[in-house]
Amino acid sequence: MLHLDETVITSIKLAIIMRPSITYKMRKVALCLTLGGLLASCGQQAEKGSFKISVHLSNAPLGPVFLEELTLKEVKVADTTSLKDASGKFTLKGTVPEQGLYRIRFGNSKYILLALDAGDMKIEGDYDQLEKINIKGSEASAALQQLLAEANEKGQALTMEMRAVDSLHNANIPDSVLQEKVKALQQKEADMQQSFISYAEKTPYPANAVFALSMVNDPSALIQQKQVIGNIEKKFPENSLVHSLGARLTEIEQQAGAASGGDEENMTAVKVGDMAPDFSLPDPSGKKISLSSFRGKYVLVDFWASWCKPCRMENPNVVKAYQQYKNKNFTILGVSLDKKKEAWVEAIQADGLAWNHVSDLKFWDSAVVPLFGINAIPTNFLLDPQGKVIAANLRGDALEQKLKEVVK
């Protein structure tokens, strides 16, 4: 429902509106984020009323500063100022109808995430180390920063393990051993997702509950925890952010149920039996490559990104299939939804993806997204030599099994 779209949580990008999909994949970000009323019994701060945020950040750049509210539909500017003090001091003011998710965004798009309620808040620290800022006067925001720090630590550790497992695909170890390591890694990821759900259930702060659920990148896991979500709604019955989240979950559940009678490829515009639409995108060197240039071969069109953990965890399976069938009239065209060339190229090399890759580096604004109706990654389409889709979303052993069936 809500998710992180970067491997490192310090560069969070929240996704609060998501197209429906019920499998473990990274979701499309539809909220314009570069990244998420306190009850009287939860603290001394009022649920609604005026607020004042006094900020002192050393090394902060001079220029515009924005305070923005993050809703399920849009980003709203709540206050603006211009930092003219070289010491890094500035103030933001306004009123809030309830506790909500806000961010202080700087001109270069760096930001501080807050669970904002009424009262006076003080923020101190170093602009170059925003993950270590000190917040006083807002228990909810301080708790949110702690959640971010802990999630970042877990995320970095998981990323390191993922890279270690990825590095084994070229090593002379049995496939059974590699698969066991992949399964163990996936279990750790699932445990981390469950910890976010548990946090959301226990926190006394509605904004923090919504943000914690935003880090669960598998909507099916949230659907399975419907009772937990319901308890959170009962706990914060007047909070519009929580209410909207519950309504969105119900919508996704209904859409998932409607789609359950078909295969996952039904979630895309391109279906099995369709001719794949042609496109041309640049490779890392800038050379344009067209999908149609691979006619005459079986082609796996693989949509992925360097920041997509499930994509990276799936890559060893794709590499294994490629190594086995690359000399049997089969190839792969990797289509990345990255936006940073360096991260894209580094991931290709780190994961050993020795096939053609293209990207316009436009993230979810890539021209191929509406062309194929992509709403989540990883997503792939297997094309026959004539360019017709003969299978979709082949993951794990399914890709190898399908290739064994069709590639002679």
Side-chain angles (χ1 to χ4, degrees), residues 46-94:
E47 176 181 349
K48 59 184 178 181
S50 61
F51 66 84
K52 176 182 177 182
I53 307 173
S54 301
V55 184
H56 184 190
L57 293 175
S58 59
N59 299 312
L62 302 181
V65 180
F66 307 89
L67 177 66
E68 298 172 329
E69 180 185 4
L70 313 180
T71 75
L72 272 69
K73 295 182 179 180
E74 61 185 337
V75 177
K76 298 190 226 180
V77 176
D79 192 20
T80 62
T81 189
S82 181
L83 179 54
K84 301 177 181 179
D85 187 343
S87 68
K89 294 182 178 180
F90 62 91
T91 301
L92 295 161
K93 299 179 180 180

Side-chain angles (χ1 to χ4, degrees), residues 126-146:
D126 189 333
Y127 178 81
D128 295 328
Q129 300 183 69
L130 291 182
E131 71 278 6
K132 296 181 180 180
I133 58 173
N134 182 34
I135 297 179
K136 296 181 180 180
S138 173
E139 296 176 359
S141 291
L144 181 58
Q145 290 299 314
Q146 183 178 356

Side-chain angles (χ1 to χ4, degrees), residues 364-379:
W364 283 102
D365 292 326
S366 173
V368 296
V369 170
L371 192 64
F372 280 77
I374 303 300
N375 51 58
I377 55 174
T379 292

Side-chain angles (χ1 to χ4, degrees), residues 22 38 55-56 63 102 110 141 214 223 248 272 279 307-308 337 368 373 404 406:
I22 58 173
L38 181 61
V55 184
H56 184 190
Y102 288 73
K110 289 182 68 172
S141 291
S214 79
I223 291 174
R248 182 62 181 135
V272 171
F279 61 87
W307 45 260
C308 167
L337 300 188
V368 296
K404 183 178 180 180
V406 300

Side-chain angles (χ1 to χ4, degrees), residues 384-403:
D384 69 9
Q386 289 72 47
K388 184 170 70 174
V389 179
I390 58 175
N393 291 310
L394 299 168
R395 282 183 287 281
D397 294 333
L399 173 58
E400 190 174 343
Q401 291 172 358
K402 186 63 177 180
L403 291 175

Side-chain angles (χ1 to χ4, degrees), residues 104-115:
I104 298 175
R105 181 173 62 84
F106 300 88
N108 61 1
S109 293
K110 289 182 68 172
Y111 61 87
I112 299 171
L113 195 64
L114 303 173

Side-chain angles (χ1 to χ4, degrees), residues 1 5 10 15 32 40 42 50 84 93 110 115 118 156 158 184 189 199 209 212 230 233 242 274 297 342 384 403:
M1 166 153 315
D5 81 36
T10 48
C32 311
C42 298
S50 61
K84 301 177 181 179
K93 299 179 180 180
K110 289 182 68 172
Q156 288 182 344
L158 198 61
E189 171 70 8
Y199 178 95
E233 290 186 272
V242 172
D274 292 348
K297 291 187 174 183
E342 296 78 9
D384 69 9
L403 291 175

